[in-house]
Each structure stands twice: as C-alpha cells, then as structure tokens.
Amino acid sequence: MNKKDAVYRWIDDHTAEVAGLLQQLIQAPSVNAEMDEDPSYKYEQRAQECLKTFLDNFGMETEFQYPNVEKLRVYEGKPGYYPDHKFDNRPNLLGTLKGQSKGKSIMLSGHMDVVPRGTKWTHDPFGGEIIDGKIYGRGACDMKGGITCMVMAAKAIAESGMKLKGDVKVGTVVDEEAGGMGTLALIAEGNRADACLITEATNLQIAPLCRGSLWGKIVIDGRSGSIEMKREDFREGGPVDAIEKGRMYLKAIKNLNQEWAITKQHKYMTLPCQINVAEFHAGEYPTTYANHCEIVFDAQYLPSEKDQNGLGSRVKKELENFVSSVAETDPWLQENPPHIEWMIDADCGETLDDQPFFQQVVKSAREIHPSSEIEGIGFHTDMGWFCRVGIPTMNIGPGNPRLDHHSDEYVEIKDLVTCTKMIASIIMDWCEISE
C-alpha cells in the first residue's frame, strides 16, 4: 500500500470536519478594514483566532504577527506598501509543523480578509449554509475554502502519524483585498520556506503565475456649451464635446487591444493582456456638451514586464505614451492633452517550468486529480513577494474563481476534499516522508 494512502483515507473519513472548518471561518466575518462595510463584519482577528485554535489543537506552533506600518516604511514605492493602512485587530497568523530532519520546507499561504457582502444574496453571507453539497458564504471561494484545504492537509498528515523531513509552515495574511500589505509584512518579518503554495481558487487547476493589474483613469477635458446650437470652432470659443473625445479613446483602446492580443500572450494564459474599460463618466446636463470625461480601465501586465521594484512602471509608461499619441491626432487634444491618473498597481509573480517545485507540484497534484491543467491566473494573488525573495510559488485552490466577490459565493464540498488531498500529496512529496 502507498504510504500516502493512509492520509487520503483520513481526509475521506473527515469530510465533515473539512466542511465544518470552512463553515466556522465563514461564520467569523473578516471583511477588509479598508473597505466600506458595517464595522461588526470588519477585521480579520476573529477568523485568525478561530484558525489559530484549530492549528494549536493538532500540534502546530503558532503566533500572531501584527503588521507595523512604520517598520515597513522602508518598502515605500514597492508592492504592497500603503502608509495609511492600520492593523489593529488585524494579525497575520504563522504556524509551523516541525519536520524530523533537514528536509525541504513549504509555506502554505492564503489571505483571511474578504470583500464586503454586496447585495442580492439568497443565503446568509456569513452563515456557511450547506445546500446540495455546496457551502455558501462570503469567502467560500476567496479564499477561506483554500485555507481550509491547506490546513486540513497538514492536519491529515499529522493525525495519520506521518512524519515529514521538512517543516510545514502556514501563513494566513491580512489585507490582500486592499493591496497586499499583509504578505509584505510576513516577508519583511523574515518568514521563509523552500517553496510556497498559495490556495487561491483555481478550479483545481495548477497556476504557476499571476498577472499584474493596473487601474487607471484617462482624464479628458472638453468645453461646455449649448448642445442645441450650431457649434463654432473651438479656436473661436466654441464648445468641445468631451464625450466625442472619449469615443476616440475607446476606439483607440480597441485597436491597441488587437495589438496586445498578439504581443502580450503567455503560454500558460488562456487570455492575453488587455485594457478593459470599466467605467465611462461624462456630462452634466441634457442640453450641455460634456466639458469633462473620465475613462476608468483595468490593464494587465505579464511578470516579464515588471520593473526592478516588481511593479508595472514600464507598462504605465507605454499607456501614457499611447494617450499622448492619440492626442496628437486631434487639434483640441494637442492643446489640452489628456492624462492618466493611476489608482492601483497590483504586482505579479511567476515560477518557471524548469523549477523543481513547479515540476513536483504538477506531478503530485495530478496524482490525485489527473485532469488538472497548467493555467496562469488573470487576477492578482499574493505570490509576487514570495517570488521576489527567491521562494518558488504556485497556486492551487478549490472553487471557481468566477464566483469570487459574487453574491451567493460558494464552493463544493467534493472539491474541498479533492483539493485537500492534492495539497497533502504535494506536501508529502516536497517535504519528504521520514522513514
């Protein structure tokens, strides 16, 4: 019999415990404190305390570490640093299951914060209800389901009497949904391992990279005037329709996306990087030409495009040049050039397929779930800082990421069980079973 079978059997026998832990985590609301939500649902402390008790009970050594903004000031200009964030009642949780000898270690990481409830739920967003084999609640996919799988995998190994050569570490962080300062703090405190597995929802696919995301706003000025009168030349004081100028940019973005569809591809991404327009704001009154227009967009970039700080300054410059080039085609815009106001730069990371951890994760995960494909993540995960300090990092988690942040967010119990086995397989192969 395969030595690992006892661990898989333990997981099957404790399916109810797997589901129960996720329910407990959902029932401990942990909305990111930087977001607009009822204060009674904010802060990660309750959920972290729940998980700490769980880890303590099966023998992990645990501690809380509270991010210190002043101490992190040395990271200004780098990913995840936000000087105005506060961390009262918002600890990172660290846990360690000691190995028997000098084997390779692994960090299992996930973020405990969730986004606000939103609207149109048909289930209690913090109830953790089980209906037809699905667990509903805010964070079920993003990403308390993944956290449940990774810690249950560690418990299954410990409770089955399996001894490992290397350490298994757990690092559940705060603040991912508002920029990632929790993971920055975890790294800044010197927490390290030979590899890292992040359990964001991937639908059980194997994700060796995530893309970076730039949020920006193209600001275009026009000149107001009566919309019911013949327009005079702007040089004579006539009105200029900012909506019309905005349409120029929408068309130009569409053309640039066709170019990016060819030049910004990755072999493990199903979609190329694109500039996605999310909002268009213009106009003040039905009989007045719009004198101002704002186009809010989300643009992705590849790990190969990040700058020396791990951010997207090169792609920012590319987009700023694009805005200027469009302006050069129009006399009004030449004299009144639009500009971009930058909002967010969420970093990215990648583990290359010639890395031993990449190869081990693929082999070990497919032992349990042979249909798992290698597929990068189009959204941000916290892998950037792990990669930046030399820790190879992969992403695998339960649940469909399309359900992240949705009303009636859920994860299927069968996927929780499968993912727990996949992670256990990775841990046992990477850290090695001690004879």
Side-chain angles (χ1 to χ4, degrees):
M1 180 185 292
N2 188 326
K3 289 183 178 180
K4 296 160 74 174
D5 288 341
V7 174
Y8 304 146
R9 203 164 48 245
W10 188 97
I11 294 168
D12 283 330
D13 291 343
H14 292 78
T15 295
E17 184 176 348
V18 174
L21 176 59
L22 177 54
Q23 287 180 293
Q24 291 177 47
L25 294 178
I26 291 171
Q27 291 161 0
S30 55
V31 174
N32 189 291
E34 303 297 326
M35 296 181 174
D36 185 17
E37 178 59 279
D38 184 317
S40 66
Y41 298 128
K42 286 185 174 184
Y43 306 104
E44 297 92 333
Q45 179 99 29
R46 284 166 297 187
Q48 294 284 52
E49 287 175 346
C50 174
L51 188 63
K52 184 177 188 298
T53 298
F54 178 85
L55 299 181
D56 289 340
N57 285 342
F58 75 85
M60 270 204 169
E61 301 171 6
T62 62
E63 66 171 308
F64 282 149
Q65 294 179 352
Y66 290 82
N68 184 316
V69 175
E70 286 303 313
K71 189 175 178 181
L72 294 171
R73 194 171 295 279
V74 294
Y75 292 93
E76 189 167 1
K78 294 194 167 53
Y81 178 73
Y82 297 90
D84 58 336
H85 285 200
K86 296 177 175 60
F87 291 96
D88 295 335
N89 300 315
R90 306 185 67 198
N92 286 339
L93 171 61
L94 281 299
T96 303
L97 187 67
K98 285 286 187 181
Q100 299 293 299
S101 56
K102 295 182 179 180
K104 296 187 294 294
S105 61
I106 191 168
M107 174 75 74
L108 308 173
S109 188
H111 64 85
M112 190 61 84
D113 59 316
V114 300
V115 298
R117 290 165 293 172
T119 59
K120 298 185 178 179
W121 283 80
T122 62
H123 304 276
D124 179 352
F126 299 118
E129 296 174 60
I130 298 178
I131 300 173
D132 296 330
K134 300 171 183 176
I135 302 178
Y136 288 86
R138 178 57 80 223
C141 271
D142 190 17
M143 59 170 292
K144 293 178 177 180
I147 289 173
T148 295
C149 293
M150 71 190 200
V151 299
M152 287 301 302
K155 180 174 182 177
I157 291 168
E159 295 288 310
S160 299
M162 185 74 68
K163 303 298 182 183
L164 301 173
K165 293 181 180 179
D167 295 346
V168 178
K169 302 183 179 184
V170 167
T172 54
V173 299
V174 300
D175 205 45
E176 190 270 351
E177 296 288 3
M181 204 162 180
T183 292
L184 168 60
L186 182 140
I187 292 296
E189 287 293 331
N191 298 291
R192 297 290 187 273
D194 294 313
C196 176
L197 188 69
I198 293 177
T199 55
E200 287 273 11
T202 66
N203 242 353
L204 305 181
Q205 305 305 321
I206 303 163
L209 77 147
C210 72
R211 294 189 296 201
S213 296
L214 294 170
W215 295 2
K217 180 193 301 179
I218 303 173
V219 180
I220 306 164
D221 284 323
R223 182 189 289 156
S224 61
S226 174
I227 207 167
E228 297 174 335
M229 304 286 289
K230 181 179 178 180
R231 267 196 286 179
E232 296 178 336
D233 191 290
F234 77 85
R235 300 173 188 84
E236 305 297 325
V240 176
D241 184 7
I243 293 176
E244 183 179 274
K245 304 307 179 187
R247 287 195 187 103
M248 289 178 56
Y249 276 95
L250 295 179
K251 181 178 179 181
I253 288 170
K254 183 177 180 181
N255 292 336
L256 183 58
N257 275 337
Q258 292 175 348
E259 179 184 324
W260 278 26
I262 298 170
T263 61
K264 293 181 184 284
Q265 294 187 7
H266 190 287
K267 64 181 178 180
Y268 291 132
M269 292 300 307
T270 57
L271 292 173
C273 295
Q274 295 282 271
I275 307 158
N276 296 311
V277 173
E279 302 175 31
F280 189 99
H281 304 281
E284 297 172 323
Y285 195 70
T287 59
T288 303
Y289 284 110
N291 68 354
H292 187 77
C293 173
E294 295 180 350
I295 300 172
V296 179
F297 65 87
D298 174 315
Q300 305 96 44
Y301 62 93
L302 296 170
S304 60
E305 297 181 289
K306 64 187 178 184
D307 62 21
Q308 67 277 9
N309 287 326
L311 291 169
S313 66
R314 296 189 181 103
V315 182
K316 282 184 178 180
K317 184 63 176 175
E318 179 181 353
L319 290 170
E320 289 166 352
N321 290 341
F322 160 74
V323 169
S324 296
S325 69
V326 174
E328 285 300 312
T329 67
D330 180 88
W332 166 263
L333 296 178
Q334 287 176 9
E335 296 183 18
N336 303 273
H339 65 280
I340 299 178
E341 294 180 3
W342 293 108
M343 300 157 64
I344 289 286
D345 186 347
D347 65 331
C348 54
E350 179 174 17
T351 295
L352 301 178
D353 50 19
D354 62 354
Q355 294 291 304
F357 187 59
F358 180 109
Q359 295 164 5
Q360 187 64 73
V361 166
V362 173
K363 180 177 182 294
S364 301
R366 285 179 173 169
E367 177 183 297
I368 301 298
H369 195 252
S371 62
S372 289
E373 298 290 340
I374 302 170
E375 183 178 311
I377 294 176
F379 54 87
H380 167 82
T381 81
D382 268 337
M383 70 184 293
W385 265 112
F386 292 107
C387 294
R388 202 162 296 115
V389 297
I391 302 173
T393 303
M394 303 282 278
N395 304 268
I396 295 179
N400 186 339
R402 293 180 184 276
L403 296 174
D404 292 359
H405 304 187
H406 280 227
S407 53
D408 287 344
E409 178 182 349
Y410 71 84
V411 67
E412 296 194 39
I413 294 173
K414 66 179 179 62
D415 287 345
L416 292 174
V417 172
T418 299
C419 190
T420 300
K421 291 179 182 178
M422 293 169 75
I423 295 169
S425 176
I426 293 165
I427 293 170
M428 288 185 283
D429 289 338
W430 179 254
C431 298
E432 297 182 82
I433 298 169
S434 183
E435 298 298 331

